Amino acid sequence: MLKLKNIYKTFNSGTINEKRALDDINLVLNDGDFVTVIGGNGAGKSTLQNVISGTIMPDFGTVEINGINITKYPEHKRAKYIGRVFQDPMLGTASDMWIEENLALAIKRGENRSAFKWMIDNNNSLFFKEQVAKLGLGLEDRLKTKVKLLSGGQRQAITLLMSTLKKPDLLMLDEHTAALDPKTASLVLNLTDEIVKTSNITTLMITHNMRDALNYGNRLIMMDQGRIIFDVAGDEKKKLTVEDLLQKFNTTKDAPSDAMILG
Amino acid sequence: MNIGSLLGAIGQGFIWGIMTLGIYITYKILNVSDLTVDGSFATGGAVFAVTALSNIHPTICLFIAMFVGGICGLVTGILHTKFKIPAILAGILTQLGLYSVNLRILGDKANISVAPVSTNITFLANVLNIPHTRAGMLLGIIISIMCILLLYFLLGTEFGASIRATGNNEKMIRALGVNTDNIKLFGIILSNMLIGLSGALLVQMNKYADVGMGKGAIVYGLASIVIGEVFFRRFSNFGIKLMSSVFGCIVFFIIRAFVISLGLKANDMQLLSATIVVIALAMPIFKENINIRKVGKINSLNEMKQVSSSDEIVKEKIEKREVTEVGGGNNA
């Protein structure tokens, strides 16, 4: 369970470029929630995610996961609880290492890494093969391929698998399909949905695409100017349409970007 | 070039090869350019000389030299990871400071001889009844093989994999829970331990320690890595890659011996090794430029004569071409 309490974050405070990125954010994600986050550019989505993942420290407020206050934890210490997939497919994997090696790195997420134990042995190699086969991309026969030889979509699918190989308390997806072509994007999204549902992973998915925000997850959050302006779940969310969301956007100061309307 | 100087060069190659392995860790695996080398190499040598001269067993002296080399790495590592000084500058700063330290260690002398005391090499030479240089080569071979095996096994473990991943994609491995600062610190320390060891062995080989013995060491090491890559480009096995840098170092010292036998001075090697590294690093750019020129010629034939404002079109074409070339290069 993720709990954000009174999170504030201001960039360049005291200068003419002062920007309040997060303005009293209070958010509770229940176990198994699959939350989609939408909002215009500069609404604070990425800052929110960076505050949760630890790349940015908030000015004020607390971040809790499973009742543990992780506000002061550095990024690498939070990895124990959080699995992440980035927007850039190049960022989620070590390109010069094999698929198998990447998975072996991922399965020890947040754990001590022994200097006396081989990273890959027959046991986990078999396990990795099974897991990769589940992606349905035919990559299970290429486990000893360097990741840099894979396409962006394949890399993103591997990253997704890596982030959930050891079940995280929170999965954070930062526009993880934005850099992919529409067909690959929907493939990766479907994979995401499948993995999240079968393992019942609490998920926070940032997206620029309203339709995806509506189609996936059980809860939707809309952000504007560092605040959560709309939070809807369950049946109410199911009834929601793109037009409703546009309506909401129009009531805010920032007009939605073209990508959101077209996507 | 006679057989004696060839064997001498190979012996030097093995001993410097241990330093090359150290540089390989930072430069190739961690993707950090650590210039502490020139300093820590001499520090290793100096420490060995003074400890050996105070009648400590030479094997223990080797370990002390390694340890002190590691401390040099620790300094650079802290400057880089804790104080966020760029790695290159951090290394230069340590290296500069180490010059004074090394002079102090050597008792304010530019060089001191270890000829009066017995070393691991003289021991081997006596036991096997072989010449000093031959014994030095043997010791170099034994220790460099040990280092290669050690690194090979270390980097295959869970911990070692996180070192490789740190050099490859820092953000990703941090998101997987690895403190990349500590990993870098560890890598730089390990690297300088090997470099210190290599310096100590060179002192055994040459029978004296010199405050300037590390001068240009980083470039020798880089040249060796580059030469090794030329020979073993096709291999992706990690152990072979480690071996290739030692092999490159041997080739480098054979070239050096050859060049000296042609009448050049040993100091000319600095220029030659710098040139080797420059050529190797600039090669991809040369290739690209040649391609651009080819495209430029074709375009100027087709379009320049017809269109008055053709310059921009040509430029555009070149740029496009460049983009595809770069992309192709990455995939290969």
Side-chain angles (χ1 to χ4, degrees), chain A residues 75-76 79 90-91 93-96 101-102 110 113-115 117-119, chain B residues 153 156-159 161 164-165 168-169 171-172 174-179 331:
Chain A
E75 191 184 354
H76 62 88
M90 305 300 148
L91 278 183
T93 41
S95 55
D96 280 333
E101 289 178 315
N102 272 281
R113 293 163 198 266
S114 163
K117 195 166 164 282
W118 284 106
M119 71 181 305
Chain B
F153 286 110
T157 62
E158 291 171 356
F159 174 72
R164 285 190 284 148
N168 203 211
N169 188 344
K171 191 175 166 69
M172 163 259 193
R174 214 183 301 129
L176 291 177
V178 171
N179 184 340
N331 285 335

PDB file of all heavy atoms in Angstrom, chain A residues 75-76 79 90-91 93-96 101-102 110 113-115 117-119, chain B residues 153 156-159 161 164-165 168-169 171-172 174-179 331:
ATOM      1  N   GLU A  75      17.223   6.450  -3.661  1.00  0.00           N
ATOM      2  CA  GLU A  75      16.598   5.705  -4.756  1.00  0.00           C
ATOM      3  C   GLU A  75      16.863   4.199  -4.680  1.00  0.00           C
ATOM      4  O   GLU A  75      15.939   3.393  -4.770  1.00  0.00           O
ATOM      5  CB  GLU A  75      17.159   6.272  -6.070  1.00  0.00           C
ATOM      6  CG  GLU A  75      16.454   5.810  -7.314  1.00  0.00           C
ATOM      7  CD  GLU A  75      17.142   6.361  -8.554  1.00  0.00           C
ATOM      8  OE1 GLU A  75      18.078   7.177  -8.415  1.00  0.00           O
ATOM      9  OE2 GLU A  75      16.733   5.969  -9.650  1.00  0.00           O
ATOM     10  N   HIS A  76      18.155   3.836  -4.510  1.00  0.00           N
ATOM     11  CA  HIS A  76      18.472   2.408  -4.583  1.00  0.00           C
ATOM     12  C   HIS A  76      17.879   1.615  -3.418  1.00  0.00           C
ATOM     13  O   HIS A  76      17.655   0.418  -3.526  1.00  0.00           O
ATOM     14  CB  HIS A  76      19.988   2.199  -4.663  1.00  0.00           C
ATOM     15  CG  HIS A  76      20.744   2.703  -3.471  1.00  0.00           C
ATOM     16  ND1 HIS A  76      20.971   1.936  -2.365  1.00  0.00           N
ATOM     17  CD2 HIS A  76      21.317   3.896  -3.208  1.00  0.00           C
ATOM     18  CE1 HIS A  76      21.642   2.621  -1.483  1.00  0.00           C
ATOM     19  NE2 HIS A  76      21.875   3.832  -1.963  1.00  0.00           N
ATOM     20  N   ALA A  79      14.258   0.465  -4.080  1.00  0.00           N
ATOM     21  CA  ALA A  79      14.071  -0.533  -5.129  1.00  0.00           C
ATOM     22  C   ALA A  79      13.491  -1.823  -4.571  1.00  0.00           C
ATOM     23  O   ALA A  79      12.832  -2.577  -5.279  1.00  0.00           O
ATOM     24  CB  ALA A  79      15.399  -0.808  -5.816  1.00  0.00           C
ATOM     25  N   MET A  90      15.566   2.318 -23.797  1.00  0.00           N
ATOM     26  CA  MET A  90      16.994   2.074 -23.582  1.00  0.00           C
ATOM     27  C   MET A  90      17.350   2.108 -22.088  1.00  0.00           C
ATOM     28  O   MET A  90      18.394   1.638 -21.682  1.00  0.00           O
ATOM     29  CB  MET A  90      17.843   3.137 -24.301  1.00  0.00           C
ATOM     30  CG  MET A  90      17.562   3.263 -25.776  1.00  0.00           C
ATOM     31  SD  MET A  90      17.872   1.714 -26.626  1.00  0.00           S
ATOM     32  CE  MET A  90      16.647   1.796 -27.922  1.00  0.00           C
ATOM     33  N   LEU A  91      16.507   2.722 -21.290  1.00  0.00           N
ATOM     34  CA  LEU A  91      16.867   2.955 -19.896  1.00  0.00           C
ATOM     35  C   LEU A  91      16.621   1.764 -18.980  1.00  0.00           C
ATOM     36  O   LEU A  91      17.208   1.663 -17.916  1.00  0.00           O
ATOM     37  CB  LEU A  91      16.093   4.156 -19.343  1.00  0.00           C
ATOM     38  CG  LEU A  91      16.656   5.534 -19.670  1.00  0.00           C
ATOM     39  CD1 LEU A  91      15.828   6.598 -18.986  1.00  0.00           C
ATOM     40  CD2 LEU A  91      18.106   5.635 -19.239  1.00  0.00           C
ATOM     41  N   THR A  93      17.092  -1.518 -19.422  1.00  0.00           N
ATOM     42  CA  THR A  93      17.894  -2.729 -19.519  1.00  0.00           C
ATOM     43  C   THR A  93      19.360  -2.355 -19.714  1.00  0.00           C
ATOM     44  O   THR A  93      19.664  -1.269 -20.176  1.00  0.00           O
ATOM     45  CB  THR A  93      17.451  -3.575 -20.733  1.00  0.00           C
ATOM     46  OG1 THR A  93      17.200  -2.701 -21.823  1.00  0.00           O
ATOM     47  CG2 THR A  93      16.211  -4.368 -20.429  1.00  0.00           C
ATOM     48  N   ALA A  94      20.245  -3.282 -19.362  1.00  0.00           N
ATOM     49  CA  ALA A  94      21.674  -3.085 -19.628  1.00  0.00           C
ATOM     50  C   ALA A  94      21.951  -3.642 -21.011  1.00  0.00           C
ATOM     51  O   ALA A  94      21.895  -4.851 -21.220  1.00  0.00           O
ATOM     52  CB  ALA A  94      22.516  -3.786 -18.580  1.00  0.00           C
ATOM     53  N   SER A  95      22.222  -2.763 -21.959  1.00  0.00           N
ATOM     54  CA  SER A  95      22.195  -3.166 -23.364  1.00  0.00           C
ATOM     55  C   SER A  95      23.318  -4.126 -23.738  1.00  0.00           C
ATOM     56  O   SER A  95      23.161  -4.931 -24.632  1.00  0.00           O
ATOM     57  CB  SER A  95      22.231  -1.939 -24.271  1.00  0.00           C
ATOM     58  OG  SER A  95      23.353  -1.156 -23.949  1.00  0.00           O
ATOM     59  N   ASP A  96      24.459  -4.034 -23.055  1.00  0.00           N
ATOM     60  CA  ASP A  96      25.571  -4.901 -23.422  1.00  0.00           C
ATOM     61  C   ASP A  96      25.519  -6.257 -22.731  1.00  0.00           C
ATOM     62  O   ASP A  96      26.424  -7.060 -22.878  1.00  0.00           O
ATOM     63  CB  ASP A  96      26.908  -4.224 -23.077  1.00  0.00           C
ATOM     64  CG  ASP A  96      27.294  -3.216 -24.140  1.00  0.00           C
ATOM     65  OD1 ASP A  96      26.876  -3.403 -25.298  1.00  0.00           O
ATOM     66  OD2 ASP A  96      27.993  -2.242 -23.818  1.00  0.00           O
ATOM     67  N   GLU A 101      21.065 -12.299 -18.376  1.00  0.00           N
ATOM     68  CA  GLU A 101      21.806 -11.572 -17.351  1.00  0.00           C
ATOM     69  C   GLU A 101      20.965 -10.432 -16.786  1.00  0.00           C
ATOM     70  O   GLU A 101      20.977 -10.164 -15.584  1.00  0.00           O
ATOM     71  CB  GLU A 101      23.116 -11.029 -17.924  1.00  0.00           C
ATOM     72  CG  GLU A 101      24.139 -12.103 -18.202  1.00  0.00           C
ATOM     73  CD  GLU A 101      25.409 -11.548 -18.812  1.00  0.00           C
ATOM     74  OE1 GLU A 101      25.329 -10.707 -19.732  1.00  0.00           O
ATOM     75  OE2 GLU A 101      26.480 -11.963 -18.384  1.00  0.00           O
ATOM     76  N   ASN A 102      20.233  -9.762 -17.674  1.00  0.00           N
ATOM     77  CA  ASN A 102      19.366  -8.688 -17.209  1.00  0.00           C
ATOM     78  C   ASN A 102      18.317  -9.208 -16.239  1.00  0.00           C
ATOM     79  O   ASN A 102      18.028  -8.589 -15.221  1.00  0.00           O
ATOM     80  CB  ASN A 102      18.691  -8.016 -18.409  1.00  0.00           C
ATOM     81  CG  ASN A 102      19.526  -6.894 -18.977  1.00  0.00           C
ATOM     82  OD1 ASN A 102      19.547  -5.793 -18.429  1.00  0.00           O
ATOM     83  ND2 ASN A 102      20.230  -7.162 -20.051  1.00  0.00           N
ATOM     84  N   GLY A 110      16.760  -5.103  -4.938  1.00  0.00           N
ATOM     85  CA  GLY A 110      16.668  -4.727  -3.532  1.00  0.00           C
ATOM     86  C   GLY A 110      17.266  -5.727  -2.560  1.00  0.00           C
ATOM     87  O   GLY A 110      17.144  -5.564  -1.363  1.00  0.00           O
ATOM     88  N   ARG A 113      23.648  -8.763  -3.115  1.00  0.00           N
ATOM     89  CA  ARG A 113      24.174  -9.540  -4.235  1.00  0.00           C
ATOM     90  C   ARG A 113      25.478 -10.184  -3.808  1.00  0.00           C
ATOM     91  O   ARG A 113      26.434  -9.502  -3.467  1.00  0.00           O
ATOM     92  CB  ARG A 113      24.376  -8.625  -5.445  1.00  0.00           C
ATOM     93  CG  ARG A 113      23.044  -8.122  -5.993  1.00  0.00           C
ATOM     94  CD  ARG A 113      23.190  -6.924  -6.889  1.00  0.00           C
ATOM     95  NE  ARG A 113      21.917  -6.246  -7.035  1.00  0.00           N
ATOM     96  CZ  ARG A 113      21.056  -6.464  -8.023  1.00  0.00           C
ATOM     97  NH1 ARG A 113      21.343  -7.337  -8.959  1.00  0.00           N
ATOM     98  NH2 ARG A 113      19.920  -5.812  -8.080  1.00  0.00           N
ATOM     99  N   SER A 114      25.492 -11.505  -3.823  1.00  0.00           N
ATOM    100  CA  SER A 114      26.640 -12.239  -3.316  1.00  0.00           C
ATOM    101  C   SER A 114      27.807 -12.189  -4.297  1.00  0.00           C
ATOM    102  O   SER A 114      27.619 -12.266  -5.510  1.00  0.00           O
ATOM    103  CB  SER A 114      26.239 -13.691  -3.071  1.00  0.00           C
ATOM    104  OG  SER A 114      27.387 -14.484  -2.955  1.00  0.00           O
ATOM    105  N   ALA A 115      29.013 -12.064  -3.746  1.00  0.00           N
ATOM    106  CA  ALA A 115      30.205 -12.096  -4.587  1.00  0.00           C
ATOM    107  C   ALA A 115      30.725 -13.520  -4.728  1.00  0.00           C
ATOM    108  O   ALA A 115      31.767 -13.750  -5.312  1.00  0.00           O
ATOM    109  CB  ALA A 115      31.282 -11.190  -4.004  1.00  0.00           C
ATOM    110  N   LYS A 117      28.435 -16.185  -5.539  1.00  0.00           N
ATOM    111  CA  LYS A 117      27.413 -16.996  -6.176  1.00  0.00           C
ATOM    112  C   LYS A 117      27.284 -16.554  -7.632  1.00  0.00           C
ATOM    113  O   LYS A 117      27.168 -15.352  -7.915  1.00  0.00           O
ATOM    114  CB  LYS A 117      26.084 -16.785  -5.434  1.00  0.00           C
ATOM    115  CG  LYS A 117      25.041 -17.800  -5.742  1.00  0.00           C
ATOM    116  CD  LYS A 117      23.904 -17.711  -4.715  1.00  0.00           C
ATOM    117  CE  LYS A 117      22.677 -18.433  -5.204  1.00  0.00           C
ATOM    118  NZ  LYS A 117      21.905 -17.697  -6.181  1.00  0.00           N
ATOM    119  N   TRP A 118      27.337 -17.508  -8.534  1.00  0.00           N
ATOM    120  CA  TRP A 118      27.163 -17.181  -9.951  1.00  0.00           C
ATOM    121  C   TRP A 118      25.801 -16.546 -10.177  1.00  0.00           C
ATOM    122  O   TRP A 118      24.815 -16.961  -9.587  1.00  0.00           O
ATOM    123  CB  TRP A 118      27.275 -18.437 -10.818  1.00  0.00           C
ATOM    124  CG  TRP A 118      28.664 -18.908 -10.983  1.00  0.00           C
ATOM    125  CD1 TRP A 118      29.226 -19.986 -10.388  1.00  0.00           C
ATOM    126  CD2 TRP A 118      29.684 -18.322 -11.790  1.00  0.00           C
ATOM    127  NE1 TRP A 118      30.531 -20.100 -10.767  1.00  0.00           N
ATOM    128  CE2 TRP A 118      30.841 -19.103 -11.621  1.00  0.00           C
ATOM    129  CE3 TRP A 118      29.738 -17.224 -12.639  1.00  0.00           C
ATOM    130  CZ2 TRP A 118      32.047 -18.813 -12.266  1.00  0.00           C
ATOM    131  CZ3 TRP A 118      30.926 -16.923 -13.278  1.00  0.00           C
ATOM    132  CH2 TRP A 118      32.063 -17.716 -13.088  1.00  0.00           C
ATOM    133  N   MET A 119      25.778 -15.573 -11.040  1.00  0.00           N
ATOM    134  CA  MET A 119      24.502 -14.898 -11.270  1.00  0.00           C
ATOM    135  C   MET A 119      23.529 -15.797 -12.021  1.00  0.00           C
ATOM    136  O   MET A 119      22.328 -15.692 -11.857  1.00  0.00           O
ATOM    137  CB  MET A 119      24.708 -13.582 -12.023  1.00  0.00           C
ATOM    138  CG  MET A 119      25.109 -13.748 -13.474  1.00  0.00           C
ATOM    139  SD  MET A 119      25.357 -12.182 -14.312  1.00  0.00           S
ATOM    140  CE  MET A 119      23.823 -11.376 -14.031  1.00  0.00           C
TER     141      MET A 119
ATOM    142  N   PHE B 153      35.978 -14.709 -12.466  1.00  0.00           N
ATOM    143  CA  PHE B 153      35.002 -15.283 -11.548  1.00  0.00           C
ATOM    144  C   PHE B 153      34.233 -14.198 -10.801  1.00  0.00           C
ATOM    145  O   PHE B 153      33.023 -14.291 -10.644  1.00  0.00           O
ATOM    146  CB  PHE B 153      35.677 -16.260 -10.581  1.00  0.00           C
ATOM    147  CG  PHE B 153      36.036 -17.551 -11.246  1.00  0.00           C
ATOM    148  CD1 PHE B 153      37.352 -17.894 -11.484  1.00  0.00           C
ATOM    149  CD2 PHE B 153      35.031 -18.405 -11.677  1.00  0.00           C
ATOM    150  CE1 PHE B 153      37.664 -19.080 -12.129  1.00  0.00           C
ATOM    151  CE2 PHE B 153      35.336 -19.594 -12.318  1.00  0.00           C
ATOM    152  CZ  PHE B 153      36.660 -19.933 -12.548  1.00  0.00           C
ATOM    153  N   GLY B 156      31.457 -12.636 -12.838  1.00  0.00           N
ATOM    154  CA  GLY B 156      30.358 -13.528 -13.193  1.00  0.00           C
ATOM    155  C   GLY B 156      29.382 -13.736 -12.046  1.00  0.00           C
ATOM    156  O   GLY B 156      28.317 -14.319 -12.218  1.00  0.00           O
ATOM    157  N   THR B 157      29.752 -13.248 -10.863  1.00  0.00           N
ATOM    158  CA  THR B 157      28.867 -13.437  -9.717  1.00  0.00           C
ATOM    159  C   THR B 157      27.766 -12.378  -9.716  1.00  0.00           C
ATOM    160  O   THR B 157      27.786 -11.446 -10.520  1.00  0.00           O
ATOM    161  CB  THR B 157      29.633 -13.312  -8.392  1.00  0.00           C
ATOM    162  OG1 THR B 157      30.169 -11.992  -8.316  1.00  0.00           O
ATOM    163  CG2 THR B 157      30.758 -14.315  -8.305  1.00  0.00           C
ATOM    164  N   GLU B 158      26.828 -12.548  -8.811  1.00  0.00           N
ATOM    165  CA  GLU B 158      25.731 -11.579  -8.686  1.00  0.00           C
ATOM    166  C   GLU B 158      26.282 -10.180  -8.439  1.00  0.00           C
ATOM    167  O   GLU B 158      25.854  -9.201  -9.044  1.00  0.00           O
ATOM    168  CB  GLU B 158      24.823 -11.982  -7.528  1.00  0.00           C
ATOM    169  CG  GLU B 158      24.043 -13.249  -7.788  1.00  0.00           C
ATOM    170  CD  GLU B 158      23.317 -13.752  -6.547  1.00  0.00           C
ATOM    171  OE1 GLU B 158      23.479 -13.169  -5.467  1.00  0.00           O
ATOM    172  OE2 GLU B 158      22.592 -14.735  -6.679  1.00  0.00           O
ATOM    173  N   PHE B 159      27.272 -10.110  -7.535  1.00  0.00           N
ATOM    174  CA  PHE B 159      27.868  -8.823  -7.219  1.00  0.00           C
ATOM    175  C   PHE B 159      28.614  -8.258  -8.433  1.00  0.00           C
ATOM    176  O   PHE B 159      28.457  -7.088  -8.798  1.00  0.00           O
ATOM    177  CB  PHE B 159      28.825  -8.983  -6.027  1.00  0.00           C
ATOM    178  CG  PHE B 159      29.596  -7.750  -5.701  1.00  0.00           C
ATOM    179  CD1 PHE B 159      28.965  -6.655  -5.118  1.00  0.00           C
ATOM    180  CD2 PHE B 159      30.950  -7.658  -5.984  1.00  0.00           C
ATOM    181  CE1 PHE B 159      29.675  -5.512  -4.830  1.00  0.00           C
ATOM    182  CE2 PHE B 159      31.660  -6.509  -5.688  1.00  0.00           C
ATOM    183  CZ  PHE B 159      31.023  -5.434  -5.115  1.00  0.00           C
ATOM    184  N   ALA B 161      28.137  -8.869 -11.517  1.00  0.00           N
ATOM    185  CA  ALA B 161      27.212  -8.468 -12.569  1.00  0.00           C
ATOM    186  C   ALA B 161      26.708  -7.050 -12.324  1.00  0.00           C
ATOM    187  O   ALA B 161      26.481  -6.287 -13.261  1.00  0.00           O
ATOM    188  CB  ALA B 161      26.042  -9.434 -12.625  1.00  0.00           C
ATOM    189  N   ARG B 164      29.265  -4.697 -13.702  1.00  0.00           N
ATOM    190  CA  ARG B 164      29.140  -4.543 -15.158  1.00  0.00           C
ATOM    191  C   ARG B 164      27.924  -3.705 -15.517  1.00  0.00           C
ATOM    192  O   ARG B 164      27.966  -2.851 -16.403  1.00  0.00           O
ATOM    193  CB  ARG B 164      29.042  -5.917 -15.825  1.00  0.00           C
ATOM    194  CG  ARG B 164      30.376  -6.634 -15.874  1.00  0.00           C
ATOM    195  CD  ARG B 164      30.297  -7.852 -16.736  1.00  0.00           C
ATOM    196  NE  ARG B 164      29.610  -8.949 -16.075  1.00  0.00           N
ATOM    197  CZ  ARG B 164      28.878  -9.860 -16.711  1.00  0.00           C
ATOM    198  NH1 ARG B 164      28.742  -9.806 -18.022  1.00  0.00           N
ATOM    199  NH2 ARG B 164      28.301 -10.826 -16.046  1.00  0.00           N
ATOM    200  N   ALA B 165      26.826  -3.941 -14.809  1.00  0.00           N
ATOM    201  CA  ALA B 165      25.602  -3.199 -15.116  1.00  0.00           C
ATOM    202  C   ALA B 165      25.769  -1.713 -14.786  1.00  0.00           C
ATOM    203  O   ALA B 165      25.212  -0.862 -15.470  1.00  0.00           O
ATOM    204  CB  ALA B 165      24.425  -3.787 -14.345  1.00  0.00           C
ATOM    205  N   ASN B 168      27.253  -0.133 -17.571  1.00  0.00           N
ATOM    206  CA  ASN B 168      26.418  -0.234 -18.760  1.00  0.00           C
ATOM    207  C   ASN B 168      25.187   0.660 -18.699  1.00  0.00           C
ATOM    208  O   ASN B 168      24.846   1.349 -19.665  1.00  0.00           O
ATOM    209  CB  ASN B 168      26.003  -1.704 -18.915  1.00  0.00           C
ATOM    210  CG  ASN B 168      25.634  -2.041 -20.331  1.00  0.00           C
ATOM    211  OD1 ASN B 168      24.804  -2.894 -20.570  1.00  0.00           O
ATOM    212  ND2 ASN B 168      26.227  -1.360 -21.287  1.00  0.00           N
ATOM    213  N   ASN B 169      24.500   0.658 -17.591  1.00  0.00           N
ATOM    214  CA  ASN B 169      23.283   1.449 -17.452  1.00  0.00           C
ATOM    215  C   ASN B 169      23.044   1.753 -15.976  1.00  0.00           C
ATOM    216  O   ASN B 169      22.378   1.001 -15.259  1.00  0.00           O
ATOM    217  CB  ASN B 169      22.100   0.689 -18.047  1.00  0.00           C
ATOM    218  CG  ASN B 169      20.844   1.529 -18.111  1.00  0.00           C
ATOM    219  OD1 ASN B 169      20.753   2.577 -17.445  1.00  0.00           O
ATOM    220  ND2 ASN B 169      19.879   1.095 -18.880  1.00  0.00           N
ATOM    221  N   LYS B 171      21.370   4.068 -14.356  1.00  0.00           N
ATOM    222  CA  LYS B 171      20.021   4.365 -13.876  1.00  0.00           C
ATOM    223  C   LYS B 171      19.230   3.079 -13.631  1.00  0.00           C
ATOM    224  O   LYS B 171      18.523   2.943 -12.639  1.00  0.00           O
ATOM    225  CB  LYS B 171      19.300   5.242 -14.911  1.00  0.00           C
ATOM    226  CG  LYS B 171      18.008   5.837 -14.410  1.00  0.00           C
ATOM    227  CD  LYS B 171      17.435   6.791 -15.456  1.00  0.00           C
ATOM    228  CE  LYS B 171      16.005   7.156 -15.163  1.00  0.00           C
ATOM    229  NZ  LYS B 171      15.827   7.993 -13.987  1.00  0.00           N
ATOM    230  N   MET B 172      19.407   2.150 -14.569  1.00  0.00           N
ATOM    231  CA  MET B 172      18.671   0.892 -14.474  1.00  0.00           C
ATOM    232  C   MET B 172      19.075   0.084 -13.243  1.00  0.00           C
ATOM    233  O   MET B 172      18.223  -0.387 -12.487  1.00  0.00           O
ATOM    234  CB  MET B 172      18.909   0.088 -15.760  1.00  0.00           C
ATOM    235  CG  MET B 172      18.571  -1.351 -15.681  1.00  0.00           C
ATOM    236  SD  MET B 172      20.069  -2.316 -15.452  1.00  0.00           S
ATOM    237  CE  MET B 172      19.417  -3.937 -15.800  1.00  0.00           C
ATOM    238  N   ARG B 174      20.449   1.133 -10.570  1.00  0.00           N
ATOM    239  CA  ARG B 174      20.062   1.824  -9.338  1.00  0.00           C
ATOM    240  C   ARG B 174      18.597   1.545  -9.039  1.00  0.00           C
ATOM    241  O   ARG B 174      18.204   1.341  -7.889  1.00  0.00           O
ATOM    242  CB  ARG B 174      20.323   3.326  -9.458  1.00  0.00           C
ATOM    243  CG  ARG B 174      20.742   3.930  -8.130  1.00  0.00           C
ATOM    244  CD  ARG B 174      20.941   5.424  -8.217  1.00  0.00           C
ATOM    245  NE  ARG B 174      21.944   5.822  -9.171  1.00  0.00           N
ATOM    246  CZ  ARG B 174      21.728   6.744 -10.110  1.00  0.00           C
ATOM    247  NH1 ARG B 174      20.569   7.337 -10.204  1.00  0.00           N
ATOM    248  NH2 ARG B 174      22.686   7.065 -10.944  1.00  0.00           N
ATOM    249  N   ALA B 175      17.798   1.516 -10.108  1.00  0.00           N
ATOM    250  CA  ALA B 175      16.383   1.198  -9.923  1.00  0.00           C
ATOM    251  C   ALA B 175      16.192  -0.242  -9.462  1.00  0.00           C
ATOM    252  O   ALA B 175      15.126  -0.604  -8.968  1.00  0.00           O
ATOM    253  CB  ALA B 175      15.625   1.435 -11.227  1.00  0.00           C
ATOM    254  N   LEU B 176      17.236  -1.061  -9.643  1.00  0.00           N
ATOM    255  CA  LEU B 176      17.152  -2.442  -9.168  1.00  0.00           C
ATOM    256  C   LEU B 176      17.823  -2.593  -7.805  1.00  0.00           C
ATOM    257  O   LEU B 176      18.126  -3.702  -7.364  1.00  0.00           O
ATOM    258  CB  LEU B 176      17.794  -3.395 -10.182  1.00  0.00           C
ATOM    259  CG  LEU B 176      17.033  -3.551 -11.496  1.00  0.00           C
ATOM    260  CD1 LEU B 176      17.785  -4.456 -12.446  1.00  0.00           C
ATOM    261  CD2 LEU B 176      15.633  -4.097 -11.266  1.00  0.00           C
ATOM    262  N   GLY B 177      18.104  -1.454  -7.165  1.00  0.00           N
ATOM    263  CA  GLY B 177      18.522  -1.518  -5.772  1.00  0.00           C
ATOM    264  C   GLY B 177      20.008  -1.544  -5.527  1.00  0.00           C
ATOM    265  O   GLY B 177      20.438  -1.924  -4.446  1.00  0.00           O
ATOM    266  N   VAL B 178      20.814  -1.153  -6.520  1.00  0.00           N
ATOM    267  CA  VAL B 178      22.264  -1.166  -6.302  1.00  0.00           C
ATOM    268  C   VAL B 178      22.744   0.256  -6.047  1.00  0.00           C
ATOM    269  O   VAL B 178      22.381   1.178  -6.775  1.00  0.00           O
ATOM    270  CB  VAL B 178      23.001  -1.767  -7.517  1.00  0.00           C
ATOM    271  CG1 VAL B 178      24.498  -1.578  -7.377  1.00  0.00           C
ATOM    272  CG2 VAL B 178      22.657  -3.237  -7.651  1.00  0.00           C
ATOM    273  N   ASN B 179      23.557   0.406  -5.011  1.00  0.00           N
ATOM    274  CA  ASN B 179      24.148   1.706  -4.714  1.00  0.00           C
ATOM    275  C   ASN B 179      25.330   1.896  -5.672  1.00  0.00           C
ATOM    276  O   ASN B 179      26.433   1.416  -5.434  1.00  0.00           O
ATOM    277  CB  ASN B 179      24.610   1.737  -3.260  1.00  0.00           C
ATOM    278  CG  ASN B 179      25.134   3.095  -2.865  1.00  0.00           C
ATOM    279  OD1 ASN B 179      25.497   3.901  -3.715  1.00  0.00           O
ATOM    280  ND2 ASN B 179      25.168   3.352  -1.586  1.00  0.00           N
ATOM    281  N   ASN B 331      24.263  -0.922 -34.583  1.00  0.00           N
ATOM    282  CA  ASN B 331      23.682  -2.263 -34.612  1.00  0.00           C
ATOM    283  C   ASN B 331      24.735  -3.336 -34.807  1.00  0.00           C
ATOM    284  O   ASN B 331      24.572  -4.452 -34.366  1.00  0.00           O
ATOM    285  CB  ASN B 331      22.639  -2.364 -35.732  1.00  0.00           C
ATOM    286  CG  ASN B 331      21.377  -1.638 -35.331  1.00  0.00           C
ATOM    287  OD1 ASN B 331      21.125  -1.485 -34.143  1.00  0.00           O
ATOM    288  ND2 ASN B 331      20.629  -1.174 -36.293  1.00  0.00           N
TER     289      ASN B 331
END
